[in-house]
Amino acid sequence: QVQLVESGGGLVQAGGSLRLACAASGRTFSNYAMGWFRQAPGKERGFVATISWTGVTKTYADSVKGRFTISRDNAKNTVYLQMNSLKPEDTAVYYCAADGVPFRSATIQPASWGQGTQVTVSS
């Protein structure tokens, strides 16, 4: 059983920044890749970023490269998403997810999801 709780969402003007956090509980958090996904109204949930179990390998969707940064602090069982230069099209509910297979670097097949946190970017 894994529980993920996101926080840090809110309302921000275009060009602003937010830092999302996902606190995880469960066994061997440090052995699993983590990811962030987002879902806008009427859209499918899409990939945003992943981070390997080591924290070394990171991947990003093209739409957020250079603006978003994923990181993790295994001592705190927490993964972060720093979002800079936010655009209105970034508006969505953001979800963190834990991989279902340990020791992966980039590929992620989420087995656990958080409840989501709303990010709204105004123009």
Side-chain angles (χ1 to χ4, degrees):
Q1 182 179 351
V2 178
Q3 289 187 324
L4 304 171
V5 180
E6 302 96 334
S7 62
L11 175 65
V12 64
Q13 292 186 14
S17 298
L18 285 173
R19 188 193 192 203
L20 306 183
C22 175
S25 63
R27 290 184 291 180
T28 60
F29 165 82
S30 62
N31 290 344
Y32 290 83
M34 299 287 292
W36 285 96
F37 297 76
R38 65 187 181 185
Q39 187 169 20
K43 303 292 185 180
E44 296 291 328
R45 188 174 300 185
F47 156 76
V48 176
T50 65
I51 185 167
S52 66
W53 72 280
T54 64
V56 174
T57 303
K58 303 173 183 180
T59 66
Y60 299 93
D62 287 343
S63 59
V64 306
K65 284 182 179 178
R67 300 189 298 119
F68 291 10
T69 303
I70 189 170
S71 62
R72 67 190 299 162
D73 185 339
N74 288 343
K76 297 180 179 179
N77 284 357
T78 302
V79 62
Y80 303 94
L81 185 68
Q82 178 67 47
M83 306 185 295
N84 298 327
S85 301
L86 283 162
K87 304 174 180 179
E89 50 263 45
D90 295 319
T91 296
V93 177
Y94 284 71
Y95 301 88
C96 67
D99 200 1
V101 179
F103 309 117
R104 289 210 277 203
S105 60
T107 302
I108 179 169
Q109 294 292 328
S112 300
W113 295 90
Q115 84 288 350
T117 185
Q118 177 71 49
V119 172
T120 302
V121 184
S122 65
S123 59

